[in-house]
Amino acid sequence: MMKNKKLAALLGVLLAGSMAVSMAACGSSNNASDTKASTSSSDTAKKDDSAKADAPSDTAGFEEVPVGPSGTAEEQDKPAGPLTVGAVYFQPIDMEPASSGLKAADASFHLEADIHASQEGTDYGYGKGDFVPDLTVNYTIIDKSTGKEVEGGKATSGTFMQMNASDGPHYGANVKLDKAGTYQLKLSIESPAAKGWMLHVDPETGVKNHQFWTEPIEVTFDNWDYTPRQW
């Protein structure tokens, strides 16, 4: 009887040891599996990041060219009383409604005026740096070799349309201009008064300045070296 008890106890110890070894092996196997899964996940993430880095951005090929000498930025953000005015051009774009202006397929470029309030513009109730809406922006492209408005182009003068792009609101139009040369861009900017905007004039809430509401602002971008591009 005593021998049987000792034998049973010995078998119990051996069985417990065998189960411990089995559980340890299982844990080791799970750890290895987790490590492989983690490594695989890390490799996948690296591949995804690499693919994102190699993928072209949404604006690939997009290039804004400042209107000015040799396409430099020295003519940009001109101070003009209550406004700052910049002018750039880039590839022709399609707009809605489609009946407004030249189609992209018929144009050489999209000409844009970016107009924001200056510090003086705060006297009219604008926030400094804010886009100024409902302006009437008349433009003319002049051939410097003749001193006259461009001939043979399309939409080389007129009134910019007010529109939104992914980077915000601006004034612009598609233009057809095939001849390389040196040009001048003239802008005549009229206040929103023509479109019904009014001003407070009472002592408590009135704006400090009224001049722009009665006198247009003239802005010139001179010596614009233009070469037709294949966008």
Side-chain angles (χ1 to χ4, degrees), residues 20-231:
V21 170
S22 177
M23 291 178 66
C26 182
S28 176
S29 176
N30 287 341
N31 288 340
S33 177
D34 291 344
T35 301
K36 287 181 180 178
S38 176
T39 302
S40 177
S41 176
S42 177
D43 290 344
T44 300
K46 288 180 180 178
K47 288 179 181 178
D48 289 344
D49 289 342
S50 177
K52 289 178 182 178
D54 293 339
S57 66
D58 292 339
T59 57
F62 179 83
E63 179 187 5
E64 285 189 347
V65 183
V67 174
S70 301
T72 63
E74 63 186 69
E75 291 273 288
Q76 290 304 287
D77 296 328
K78 284 179 173 290
L83 310 174
T84 58
V85 183
V88 298
Y89 66 103
F90 44 92
Q91 73 262 29
I93 50 93
D94 287 313
M95 299 168 283
E96 289 186 351
S99 59
S100 299
L102 286 180
K103 295 180 180 179
D106 299 329
S108 303
F109 54 82
H110 185 74
L111 183 61
E112 174 178 311
D114 295 310
I115 303 178
H116 300 86
S118 65
Q119 180 60 46
E120 185 180 323
T122 61
D123 291 344
Y124 292 84
Y126 298 114
K128 184 179 179 181
D130 286 354
F131 171 75
V132 181
D134 270 351
L135 300 172
T136 301
V137 184
N138 300 306
Y139 71 97
T140 304
I141 300 175
I142 296 170
D143 188 336
K144 293 278 287 187
S145 66
T146 64
K148 299 179 180 179
E149 183 183 331
V150 169
E151 296 180 358
K154 291 182 180 179
T156 53
S157 66
T159 302
F160 279 146
M161 295 168 284
Q162 188 170 217
M163 63 191 72
N164 273 17
S166 58
D167 62 350
H170 64 274
Y171 298 89
N174 284 340
V175 175
K176 178 71 170 175
L177 183 58
D178 294 327
K179 180 184 174 183
T182 302
Y183 297 91
Q184 182 184 74
L185 174 64
K186 283 190 173 183
L187 303 181
S188 176
I189 305 170
E190 300 175 17
S191 80
K195 297 183 179 179
W197 279 67
M198 303 178 72
L199 297 174
H200 284 211
V201 294
D202 64 286
E204 290 79 16
T205 68
V207 299
K208 297 179 182 179
N209 205 331
H210 306 167
Q211 185 177 2
F212 177 41
W213 246 241
T214 58
E215 297 180 13
I217 291 174
E218 307 290 332
V219 181
T220 299
F221 295 84
D222 205 12
N223 297 318
W224 172 17
D225 295 326
Y226 169 72
T227 301
R229 294 180 174 225
Q230 292 297 323
W231 303 100

